[in-house]
Amino acid sequence: MLIYGKEVAAKTLEKIMAMTADFESKYSRKPTLAVIIVGEDPASQTYVRNKINGCKQVGFNSLSYEYPDGTAQEEIENRIKSLAKDETVDGILVQLPLPKGYDEEKILSNIPDSKDVDGFNASNIGCLCLGRPRTVSCTPLGVMSMLESTGVDLNGKNAVVLGRSNTVGKPMAMLLLNANCTVTVCHSKTRNLADFTKNADILIVAIGKPKFVTADMIKEGAIVIDVGINRVDGKLCGDVDFESVEPKTSFISPVPGGVGPMTISMLLYNTLMSAIARENER
């Protein structure tokens, strides 16, 4: 069966819209997301546009700050510091990757924990590792929502994550571990990779290599979530060779139409949760 992220995301957005209406009624304001983009990378501009459109769809306010490549890092950091102090702003997002020459870690460190709706802050990652998740990275959180939509009990399942990035692989492994899976993380230095993937009840692939995972690497009846998105000969494809792998799976996410829509819905969810938490603190 195919797991269409668009369908799962639509249900999530419905809940967010209802909760947003209640929030506005109670606090006489809308949740607000501020997005910062540096440079003119077409993919990044598309992502930012989709996030802004998502805010409109659920009833959020959005602020967008665009800077040309070459803008002084101090100027970008000062903008973040200003947004951090702004009580009307609930979430701050810096679109990644940044152009070469910028200290990404230093820029992101200016976003306070309470407004880190991307879930990249070291404090938020630390809470996740301790089993007390606060704000969780959007893509891994979306993947968990997709897994939940299958109705499959995750307890005790062998889960393999291909990729160890700070934005997907590592938090994904922590979420699966918190869901009582037995988790293995594989990466570019893993030897005999297929020995691990063939034993996976759940396989999450996020390595950025087109059609890397093939049918001979998959266990019969596995659940496969393809986080990768690549462009080959003008067409989008994932990190999984969908045509060969799909017949062996019990559930699989396509590319496009799989994980992508979930990332934005989870960003909006995180922003709403940030807004509610900040109002409760007041």
Side-chain angles (χ1 to χ4, degrees):
M1 295 179 65
L2 297 183
I3 312 174
Y4 286 108
K6 188 174 182 179
E7 295 177 358
V8 182
K11 295 178 181 178
T12 302
L13 292 175
E14 286 180 7
K15 294 178 182 178
I16 293 173
M17 282 188 277
M19 293 176 69
T20 300
D22 289 342
F23 179 90
E24 187 175 3
S25 175
K26 186 174 182 179
Y27 300 110
S28 300
R29 73 177 187 88
K30 296 181 178 182
T32 299
L33 173 66
V35 182
I36 295 171
I37 180 172
V38 184
E40 299 180 356
D41 178 70
S44 291
Q45 289 182 333
T46 298
Y47 293 145
V48 167
R49 190 160 52 247
N50 289 341
K51 290 166 184 175
I52 297 300
N53 289 338
C55 286
K56 293 178 182 178
Q57 182 180 351
V58 298
F60 288 8
N61 285 330
S62 62
L63 304 171
S64 181
Y65 301 92
E66 300 181 15
Y67 294 95
D69 189 1
T71 300
Q73 176 158 327
E74 184 180 9
E75 182 177 346
I76 298 167
E77 291 184 18
N78 286 338
R79 171 63 70 184
I80 296 174
K81 291 174 183 177
S82 175
L83 293 169
K85 295 176 182 178
D86 189 338
E87 288 300 316
T88 67
V89 174
D90 301 296
I92 304 171
L93 180 151
V94 177
Q95 183 62 44
L96 302 179
L98 292 169
K100 292 181 179 180
Y102 290 96
D103 187 335
E104 189 174 286
E105 184 176 349
K106 189 170 185 293
I107 287 176
L108 294 179
S109 69
N110 291 284
I111 302 176
D113 297 350
S114 62
K115 298 188 180 185
D116 170 37
V117 289
D118 253 338
F120 294 160
N121 184 290
S123 176
N124 284 325
I125 292 290
C127 287
L128 176 60
C129 291
L130 291 172
R132 300 195 297 268
R134 197 164 49 189
T135 303
V136 179
S137 301
C138 303
T139 298
L141 189 60
V143 170
M144 291 304 296
S145 185
M146 292 172 72
L147 289 174
E148 290 168 9
S149 75
T150 67
V152 174
D153 183 6
L154 302 184
N155 279 287
K157 291 288 192 294
N158 289 325
V160 173
V161 179
L162 296 193
R164 54 177 172 178
S165 70
N166 292 331
T167 55
V168 179
K170 290 177 183 176
M172 188 76 254
M174 289 298 104
L175 284 171
L176 289 165
L177 191 62
N178 291 346
N180 298 321
C181 292
T182 300
V183 183
T184 302
V185 178
C186 298
H187 45 79
S188 60
K189 305 301 181 184
T190 300
R191 298 178 181 177
N192 303 317
L193 179 62
D195 290 346
F196 297 97
T197 59
K198 285 179 180 178
N199 194 43
D201 301 309
I202 301 167
L203 179 64
I204 314 294
V205 190
I207 54 176
K209 293 186 177 182
K211 302 184 179 183
F212 178 83
V213 174
T214 52
D216 59 326
M217 300 170 67
I218 299 294
K219 175 182 179 180
E220 194 74 37
I223 300 173
V224 177
I225 305 292
D226 190 351
V227 181
I229 184 162
N230 313 279
R231 189 172 292 276
V232 177
D233 297 329
K235 295 182 179 180
L236 294 178
C237 68
D239 293 345
V240 175
D241 182 20
F242 183 87
E243 287 73 18
S244 70
V245 169
E246 188 268 338
K248 293 187 69 175
T249 63
S250 58
F251 293 93
I252 186 171
S253 67
V255 176
V259 176
M262 292 303 305
T263 299
I264 293 178
S265 67
M266 292 299 104
L267 170 67
L268 298 173
Y269 172 81
N270 283 348
T271 302
L272 177 58
M273 291 301 103
S274 172
I276 293 172
R278 293 178 65 252
E279 289 294 344
N280 287 339
E281 286 176 3
R282 291 173 185 165

